[in-house]
Amino acid sequence: MSRIAIVGVGTMGEAVLAGLVNSGATVLAGVRRTERGAELAERYAVTAGAPAEVAAGADVVVLGVKPYDIVPVVASLDLQPGQLVVSLAAGVTTAAIEAAVPAGVKVVRVMPNTPSLIGQGMSVVAGGSSASDADVEQVAELMRAVGSAVVVPEKHVDAAAAISGSGPAYVFYVAEALVEAGVHLGLPRAAASELVTQTLVGSALLMRETGEHPAVLREQVTSPGGTTAAALRVLESGAVRAAFLDATRANAQRSRELSEG
């Protein structure tokens, strides 16, 4: 199995590290602070060291640093032809990274999301011009250690990330609104939170397990002239569906602006 170095082990980097360790991969942690390296070594039984040191001995180098650090960090690693670089940063194109590495270094871009922290993530994977289909599939398989992964052309990354990358924020926004609605209806906050949480979990699992279109599942809950129909009528009159369309368009546009910047 490939030796994988993770450079920049913050929240998302650590999630990927934990998933890969659990899958049996050989993982190296690239950190700037020795105390952070000691913490990761104790928690996951991985080898930790300076970023350039661990990257030098790796087949795959995963970059978990902030977007504004990607290019300077990758340029400092002294990468060699044949190594595979995986970026977890939003708004940084594969072309920008390829320009900072030697010829022959392969680059793949990944947009994970925060449920990766509990092994239930959704990752969008896109290869750069130097990466083969096999390289891209290898990265997708790595990301399946923390959930699911889908491969798309890079031109679709902004759109896909607007759905899955930022998607948890939309879900939490809806959850927050439903909890507040329950409180306004007289429910204790703890009870409202439990009702909302399990309803979201159960509904997501039902959609995944049945494979039904969400419109079909919605119709199964909605009796003509009933209470659900009354509630949905209010949501439609509030243009909630259109608001989600506008929100995801704004998300994708902002991602394109960051890439161009």
Side-chain angles (χ1 to χ4, degrees):
M1 183 174 288
S2 299
R3 288 166 59 85
I4 304 164
I6 300 181
V7 175
V9 194
T11 301
M12 192 57 66
E14 185 172 352
V16 174
L17 182 147
L20 291 174
V21 168
N22 289 337
S23 73
T26 301
V27 183
L28 312 170
V31 295
R32 294 175 178 172
R33 297 184 295 109
T34 55
E35 58 269 28
R36 176 59 170 161
E39 176 188 343
L40 294 169
E42 180 179 358
R43 184 178 302 168
Y44 300 107
V46 297
T47 298
E53 175 188 341
V54 300
D59 304 299
V60 180
V61 179
V62 179
L63 302 174
V65 299
K66 299 296 185 183
Y68 52 78
D69 278 336
I70 283 287
V71 171
V73 166
V74 77
S76 73
L77 295 180
D78 192 26
L79 298 168
Q80 301 299 313
Q83 285 184 291
L84 175 58
V85 171
V86 180
S87 169
L88 305 181
V92 182
T93 64
T94 57
I97 299 171
E98 287 169 343
V101 299
V105 174
K106 301 167 288 187
V107 178
V108 174
R109 181 179 176 187
V110 174
M111 284 299 303
N113 64 11
T114 54
S116 299
L117 296 170
I118 58 169
Q120 294 295 325
M122 183 70 246
S123 296
V124 178
V125 182
S129 62
S130 57
S132 68
D133 290 345
D135 294 325
V136 174
E137 183 51 39
Q138 179 185 3
V139 174
E141 190 57 34
L142 291 179
M143 296 309 299
R144 290 183 184 115
V146 292
S148 299
V150 61
V151 176
V152 301
E154 189 168 12
K155 65 181 180 180
H156 292 325
V157 166
D158 292 329
I163 303 301
S164 65
S166 299
Y170 315 149
V171 174
F172 298 142
Y173 184 87
V174 170
E176 180 185 4
L178 285 173
V179 169
E180 291 303 317
V183 171
H184 280 288
L185 289 171
L187 290 170
R189 184 170 296 276
S193 294
E194 185 174 357
L195 289 169
V196 170
T197 300
Q198 185 54 39
T199 298
L200 290 173
V201 170
S203 299
L205 289 174
L206 182 64
M207 188 164 68
R208 185 173 70 179
E209 295 300 322
T210 63
E212 291 281 9
H213 192 282
V216 173
L217 296 174
R218 175 181 54 78
E219 289 170 357
Q220 291 174 356
V221 187
T222 310
S223 300
T227 56
T228 304
L232 290 173
R233 184 171 63 253
V234 173
L235 293 177
E236 289 294 344
S237 66
V240 172
R241 190 185 301 263
F244 272 109
L245 179 59
D246 290 343
T248 51
R249 280 178 173 166
N251 186 307
Q253 177 59 34
R254 181 56 181 155
S255 182
R256 285 190 290 270
E257 291 170 356
L258 291 173
S259 297
E260 292 166 0

